[in-house]
Amino acid sequence: MLSPLVIDTFLLDYHLGHVILLGLVVSLLGAAPLKSQKIIASILAVFGVIFMMAPYTTMPPTYILVGIPLVLIGTLLWTMAGR
């Protein structure tokens, strides 16, 4: 059994930006077999909004700025997607 101190020292190296980025990657990998451009676009746009709305005190500002291109790419993919 791991000591809570070992777990705490491991988790101190990460912040909210890492968690959201991991969620984005896992979501994209989960949606990849569906081969739906609209699902990929909606995932990108939603995670872009999540990045922009996340509290700036819990992660570096570069992660917040990642949200703007994600929203733009998501909306462009949604627009270009076929039926």
Side-chain angles (χ1 to χ4, degrees), residues 9 45 68 74:
T9 56
I68 297 168

Side-chain angles (χ1 to χ4, degrees), residues 48-83:
V49 170
I50 290 172
F51 268 116
M52 288 192 303
M53 293 183 64
Y56 66 92
T57 57
T58 58
M59 58 186 180
T62 55
Y63 284 93
I64 295 171
L65 292 176
V66 165
I68 297 168
L70 283 178
V71 169
L72 292 174
I73 291 170
T75 53
L76 285 173
L77 282 177
W78 183 275
T79 304
M80 294 187 318
R83 299 173 97 203

Side-chain angles (χ1 to χ4, degrees), residues 2-83:
L2 288 174
S3 163
L5 183 61
V6 172
I7 296 171
D8 189 41
T9 56
F10 174 73
L11 291 177
L12 281 176
D13 295 334
Y14 302 103
H15 50 73
L16 183 62
H18 292 122
V19 174
I20 298 173
L21 194 61
L22 178 69
L24 172 65
V25 169
V26 169
S27 297
L28 287 175
L29 288 175
L34 299 175
K35 297 179 182 171
S36 172
Q37 194 173 2
K38 285 196 174 190
I39 291 176
I40 300 292
S42 63
I43 289 172
L44 289 175
V46 166
F47 272 97
V49 170
I50 290 172
F51 268 116
M52 288 192 303
M53 293 183 64
Y56 66 92
T57 57
T58 58
M59 58 186 180
T62 55
Y63 284 93
I64 295 171
L65 292 176
V66 165
I68 297 168
L70 283 178
V71 169
L72 292 174
I73 291 170
T75 53
L76 285 173
L77 282 177
W78 183 275
T79 304
M80 294 187 318
R83 299 173 97 203

